């Protein structure tokens, strides 16, 4: 149970680290760092995928490094696949064929956020 409870904060930490790494790599390559980037992520709760998007900004990362609060609010967008019964989905996940179809459509739609740029 603790792994499921920690999945979302761990994912957010990894998204922030990804943004930091992207900008570090850009600096090493002589490119300007990005001001912001939408970072996608997927957390699994058992056999249930939940999709996330976080618009990470340099201001946010700088504030975290300084141990202060950023001036702008940061919003974590979360998508639980729109299956017929969310309660059942949490129990059986993609074992039900109809749920599997919905989840696969979500994965397909989510791919556009995974393109490198």
């Amino acid at each position: 149970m603790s792994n499921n409870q920690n999945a979302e904060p761990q994912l957010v930490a990894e998204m922030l680290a990804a943004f930091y790494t992207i900008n570090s790599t850009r600096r090493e390559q002589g490119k300007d760092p990005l001001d912001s980037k939408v970072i996608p992520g997927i957390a699994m709760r058992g056999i249930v995928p939940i999709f996330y998007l976080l618009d990470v900004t340099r201001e946010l990362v700088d504030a975290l490094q300084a141990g202060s609060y950023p001036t702008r609010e940061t919003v974590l967008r979360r998508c639980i696949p729109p299956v017929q019964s969310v309660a059942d989905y949490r129990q059986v996940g993609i074992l039900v064929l109809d749920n599997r179809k919905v989840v696969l459509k979500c994965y397909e739609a989510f791919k556009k956020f995974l393109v490198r740029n």
Side-chain angles (χ1 to χ4, degrees):
M1 187 65 157
S2 64
N3 287 343
N4 291 343
Q5 292 172 340
N6 295 329
E8 194 169 277
Q10 179 66 37
L11 181 63
V12 170
E14 291 173 5
M15 292 166 139
L16 295 167
F19 181 79
Y20 179 84
T21 302
I22 290 166
N23 272 347
S24 293
T25 302
R26 289 179 65 86
R27 281 187 197 96
E28 290 171 5
Q29 295 172 346
K31 299 177 182 176
D32 290 331
L34 300 174
D35 287 326
S36 68
K37 181 166 180 55
V38 175
I39 305 287
I42 300 171
M44 296 297 292
R45 292 203 175 130
I47 58 173
V48 176
I50 300 176
F51 302 88
Y52 294 88
L53 294 174
L54 182 63
D55 188 9
V56 183
T57 63
R58 271 200 297 176
E59 176 192 0
L60 173 62
V61 172
D62 292 346
L64 289 171
Q65 287 178 321
S68 63
Y69 287 98
T71 57
R72 286 187 284 175
E73 182 178 64
T74 302
V75 177
L76 176 65
R77 290 178 280 170
R78 175 177 57 186
C79 175
I80 298 172
V83 294
Q84 268 188 287
S85 172
V86 174
D88 288 344
Y89 180 63
R90 289 187 176 127
Q91 296 298 318
V92 298
I94 60 172
L95 296 177
V96 174
L97 183 59
D98 288 340
N99 289 357
R100 196 174 316 156
K101 290 176 183 176
V102 171
V103 170
L104 290 174
K105 286 181 182 178
C106 289
Y107 273 116
E108 193 65 35
F110 198 67
K111 282 190 338 187
K112 73 178 181 182
F113 298 104
L114 303 177
V115 177
R116 289 183 168 237
N117 52 14

